[in-house]
Each structure stands twice: as C-alpha cells, then as structure tokens.
Amino acid sequence: MTRVLVVEDDPQLVRALIINLQARRYGVDAAPDGATALRLATARQPDVVMLDLGLPDMDGVDVIKGLRGWSRVPILVLSARQGSDEKVAALDAGADDYVSKPFSMEELLARLRAAVRRTEETPLTSGVTLVETADFSIDLLAKKLHRDGRDVRLTPTEWHLLEILVTSPGRLITQKHLLEEVWGANVTQSNKTNYLRVYMAQLRRKLEADPSHPRYLITEPGMGYRFEG
Ligand code: CA
C-alpha cells in the first residue's frame, strides 16, 4: 500500500483528500501543521508527501527543507499562492511538483501517481537510452533524433537540454536547474533565461508538429519546462 502524508490545515480539503485517497487504496496520514508533518514523516515513513505551502505554524518551504535533510520522499506541493516565486522556491528547496489550488481531484491524483511512479522507476530511468513518442524517437546513447523518417540534427546545447527533460518525463524542471546544468552554476539568470527560451523554441521547431502549440515540450510560465512523453 502506498502511504500518503497529507499536510494541510483546511479541514474540509483534508476530509475530501482522505476520502478520495482511501477510495483508491492509499494509506493516508494527515497533519494540520508543519511540526506535526515533520514528526509524522519520521514516524510513518510515507511514500509520498502532499504539502500545502500556507501552514499555521511554519512556511511549507521550511517543511520541505526539513524533510530534505534526511529524506528523498517525493513531495507534491499544493499551492494557493498566485506568484510563481513561491512555487519556484518550493521546487528549489526540493519539492518534486506542484498543483495550484483550486485543483481537480483527477488532476491531483494523476500528479500523485506520476510522483510515485518516478521514484519506483528511478533505477531504470537513469538507464533510459531510448525515448519513443508518436512523432519522434530519441536514442540518447547514439545521440540520434529520428522524426518523419529522417534524422534531425541537434546542437550539443539542444541535446543537453533535451536529455534533461526527456529523462524525467512528466516532471517540471525549473529554469534554474536547466540553466545550472547546461550553462553552469555561475550564470546570471536574467539574461540566460532568454537563451533558454530561444533554445526551447529551436527544439520545438525540430520536434513538434505545431511548435506554437507544443505537445511534448510544455512551458510552465515563469517556472520551467516539462516533457510529456
Ligand atoms: Ca493553508
């Protein structure tokens, strides 16, 4: 049984989450505040944590930092905050994904399944060398991209970006992470964010049937990018 720790101070939402999760055979523990969350995480060793950022006793980002001190449990953030800064802060602190409130229960459950699946697949995913979609296939070892019956050429930078995205399918990769991985830790983010946009546009032209309505390389405005396989 997959155990979920729900960290949320809105009792009505907690009740709805418990009902929906238990109906799908998840084991559920609930914490109404950050201190309880950190205690229960240690005591119950959940498989995944669903975390509201606005808690009565501490900031959700500090709960993430506390958990990341000793645990790699996937953390799915539930955020009512509109600005992308807090979400980026949560992702940079070690959250795996976020869902904005209000969310549909179906969307939340899909993200939850994806978060759990990723941890189960981690040993395999790290060895992924072939990525197949309906429109193209990528051989990461041979560095070959095949689309519409022919090879598509990518620059080394495009390869690097694409590799990071496709080896974590469904996962939001922050701009900061991509910039650090591809251009190094010392980049000044403001001007490189433009580079990133340009490179992603190039990748879309090479991969997407309709680059202005991407199906595979999805932008999360102000936050980063996600590969949907
Ligand atoms: Ca709250």
Side-chain angles (χ1 to χ4, degrees), residues 7-10 52-56 78 80 101:
V7 188
E8 169 63 65
D9 60 331
D10 172 353
D52 178 30
L53 286 185
L55 296 169
L78 311 177
K101 293 179 180 177

Side-chain angles (χ1 to χ4, degrees), residues 97 111 165 170-172 216-218 220 225-228:
D97 204 351
R111 293 288 186 82
L165 290 163
R171 179 166 194 168
L172 171 61
Y216 300 104
L217 300 171
I218 311 298
E220 297 275 349
Y225 298 91
R226 194 190 292 275
F227 171 72
E228 297 289 357

Side-chain angles (χ1 to χ4, degrees), residues 157-165 178 182-183 196 199 203:
T157 303
E158 288 167 356
W159 263 115
H160 200 164
L161 278 173
L162 187 64
E163 200 168 79
I164 295 167
L165 290 163
L178 289 169
V182 177
W183 283 278
L196 195 51
Y199 276 100
L203 275 176

